Amino acid sequence: MSLKTVESMKNWIASNITEEVNLEKMADKVGYSPFYCSVKFHEQVGVTYKQYSARLKLEFAKQELEKTSSKVVDIAMKFGFRSHEAFTRAFRREYGVAPK
């Protein structure tokens, strides 16, 4: 798998970050099996597909918190977190502070 394909996978994740992104949909988009995509993604990026997409969701949410006056719960729901509490826990784990 080429670096271009991995970049395509990363771009697909970013473009679909507010949707329910999953490995099967991404693999279908790039034309490889989910298992092969998972292995190659991890090899090239250094983290698993799931870790990458979770971090990217948090990064996009953080940017939205900084740039808008949207409620934390609305941002959490927009990026697919099941609750305000789940978002707060993940945000605190990643950044060391609560979202505000």
Side-chain angles (χ1 to χ4, degrees), residues 38 41-53 55:
S38 177
F41 190 90
H42 188 254
E43 284 177 4
Q44 303 263 343
V45 180
V47 294
T48 66
Y49 163 82
K50 189 173 181 177
Q51 291 168 325
Y52 181 83
S53 61
R55 286 181 183 164

Side-chain angles (χ1 to χ4, degrees), residues 19-76:
E19 306 300 318
E20 186 179 327
V21 295
N22 64 47
L23 185 59
E24 289 76 19
K25 289 179 184 177
M26 183 190 66
D28 188 50
K29 181 70 176 168
V30 297
Y32 291 98
S33 75
F35 176 77
Y36 186 72
C37 284
S38 177
V39 169
K40 293 302 179 182
F41 190 90
H42 188 254
E43 284 177 4
Q44 303 263 343
V45 180
V47 294
T48 66
Y49 163 82
K50 189 173 181 177
Q51 291 168 325
Y52 181 83
S53 61
R55 286 181 183 164
L56 196 60
K57 282 183 180 202
L58 286 171
E59 181 59 33
F60 275 61
K62 179 179 164 234
Q63 291 174 11
E64 191 153 327
L65 284 167
E66 293 170 344
K67 295 177 182 178
T68 71
S69 59
S70 298
K71 295 178 182 179
V72 173
V73 67
D74 293 337
I75 293 172

Side-chain angles (χ1 to χ4, degrees), residues 17-20 57 61 64 71-88:
I17 202 70
T18 59
E19 306 300 318
E20 186 179 327
K57 282 183 180 202
E64 191 153 327
K71 295 178 182 179
V72 173
V73 67
D74 293 337
I75 293 172
M77 295 298 126
K78 177 179 179 178
F79 290 99
F81 291 88
R82 294 179 190 250
S83 68
H84 176 277
E85 293 80 11
F87 174 67
T88 299

Side-chain angles (χ1 to χ4, degrees), residues 6-24:
V6 173
E7 283 303 313
S8 176
M9 291 162 54
K10 289 167 63 177
N11 290 337
W12 182 87
I13 295 167
S15 296
N16 293 282
I17 202 70
T18 59
E19 306 300 318
E20 186 179 327
V21 295
N22 64 47
L23 185 59
E24 289 76 19

